[in-house]
Amino acid sequence: MASSAFAFPSYIIITKGASTDSCKSTSRSLPTELSSPCPKPNNNSHLLFSRPISSGPRYQSAKNSLTDDKQACAVGRRKSMMMGLLMSGLILSEATLPTAFASTPVFREYIDTFDGYSFKYPQNWIQVRGAGADIFFRDPVVLDENLSVEFSSPSSSKYTSLEDLGSPEEAGKMVVRQYLTEFMSTRLGVRRQANILSTSSRVADDGKPYYQIEVNIKSYANNNELAVMPQDRVARLEWNRRYLAVLGVENNRLYSLRLQTPEKVFIEEEKDLRRVMDSFRVEKI
């Protein structure tokens, strides 16, 4: 067996403690017997990678079999090559680790002890001030993805429980009317289409009930709103978003956590967004 068949480039060095396989392939060939990377066999020592060679006429031919020292060297080089391939595979695997860890969401908790509510949000979201809500966070990459918290003033209305809103279905209709009012546009040919996807009620670990409402809203606009003929005014989809709302009552106030995200993003991040919804709590102040 030619030694060059298992030779490594000079920049790959593999060592394994003090064993006889600690030979390093630094050249493509072995010029002399003295420069052989593997030691000569010793009757008083045992080679780590040697394998027993059967005796008998079949294995005693010098032309058809390797000697003990050459076979040990071949096995050592073969194992070194396999270790090199494994190490290169591990290096490639480690190169993908940051991406895997980056995809794992990390949440922070926002607690407002003054107004009496708390929730969790993705740590990479940034707070935006002056957005009109009591608190507002936004995804720095997907700008249409955000969350906000609003609450009513106890001086203008007094809520004692969620039952003041009626059933979850009735609360869902109220939320849709509020969304459509906020999205009213003065542009010609703009139309909003809202659809209630689900309404539900749950009791959180704090023993308080919460309403959860999911709404899909699409915005359409004509490509030529000033056209005289109807066939020249073709409606096109501007945006398609999912709106998630969580309602809770405490301190004679109606609290509302609102999440907004494009439908395509919601499909990918549904689990994380629902975790934000489930984390919303109202506290007594």
Side-chain angles (χ1 to χ4, degrees), residues 8 102 138 261:
F8 285 94
R138 167 178 289 171
T261 183

PDB file of all heavy atoms in Angstrom, residues 8 102 138 261:
ATOM      1  N   PHE A   8      -1.752  13.576   4.144  1.00  0.00           N
ATOM      2  CA  PHE A   8      -2.554  14.769   4.412  1.00  0.00           C
ATOM      3  C   PHE A   8      -1.793  16.007   3.972  1.00  0.00           C
ATOM      4  O   PHE A   8      -0.567  16.005   3.899  1.00  0.00           O
ATOM      5  CB  PHE A   8      -2.855  14.913   5.930  1.00  0.00           C
ATOM      6  CG  PHE A   8      -3.903  13.952   6.405  1.00  0.00           C
ATOM      7  CD1 PHE A   8      -3.555  12.731   6.953  1.00  0.00           C
ATOM      8  CD2 PHE A   8      -5.240  14.282   6.286  1.00  0.00           C
ATOM      9  CE1 PHE A   8      -4.512  11.860   7.372  1.00  0.00           C
ATOM     10  CE2 PHE A   8      -6.204  13.409   6.722  1.00  0.00           C
ATOM     11  CZ  PHE A   8      -5.847  12.206   7.264  1.00  0.00           C
ATOM     12  N   ALA A 102     -29.647  31.808  17.094  1.00  0.00           N
ATOM     13  CA  ALA A 102     -30.288  33.072  16.758  1.00  0.00           C
ATOM     14  C   ALA A 102     -31.777  32.888  16.535  1.00  0.00           C
ATOM     15  O   ALA A 102     -32.557  33.809  16.743  1.00  0.00           O
ATOM     16  CB  ALA A 102     -29.634  33.684  15.514  1.00  0.00           C
ATOM     17  N   ARG A 138     -41.875  47.670  18.792  1.00  0.00           N
ATOM     18  CA  ARG A 138     -41.890  47.344  17.360  1.00  0.00           C
ATOM     19  C   ARG A 138     -40.695  46.475  17.014  1.00  0.00           C
ATOM     20  O   ARG A 138     -39.595  46.641  17.565  1.00  0.00           O
ATOM     21  CB  ARG A 138     -41.853  48.631  16.527  1.00  0.00           C
ATOM     22  CG  ARG A 138     -41.557  48.433  15.051  1.00  0.00           C
ATOM     23  CD  ARG A 138     -41.599  49.739  14.304  1.00  0.00           C
ATOM     24  NE  ARG A 138     -42.956  50.242  14.187  1.00  0.00           N
ATOM     25  CZ  ARG A 138     -43.268  51.458  13.730  1.00  0.00           C
ATOM     26  NH1 ARG A 138     -42.302  52.299  13.395  1.00  0.00           N
ATOM     27  NH2 ARG A 138     -44.532  51.827  13.626  1.00  0.00           N
ATOM     28  N   THR A 261     -49.325  42.103  12.998  1.00  0.00           N
ATOM     29  CA  THR A 261     -48.266  41.476  12.223  1.00  0.00           C
ATOM     30  C   THR A 261     -48.801  41.106  10.838  1.00  0.00           C
ATOM     31  O   THR A 261     -49.987  40.788  10.699  1.00  0.00           O
ATOM     32  CB  THR A 261     -47.738  40.209  12.938  1.00  0.00           C
ATOM     33  OG1 THR A 261     -46.668  39.657  12.194  1.00  0.00           O
ATOM     34  CG2 THR A 261     -48.828  39.172  13.079  1.00  0.00           C
TER      35      THR A 261
END
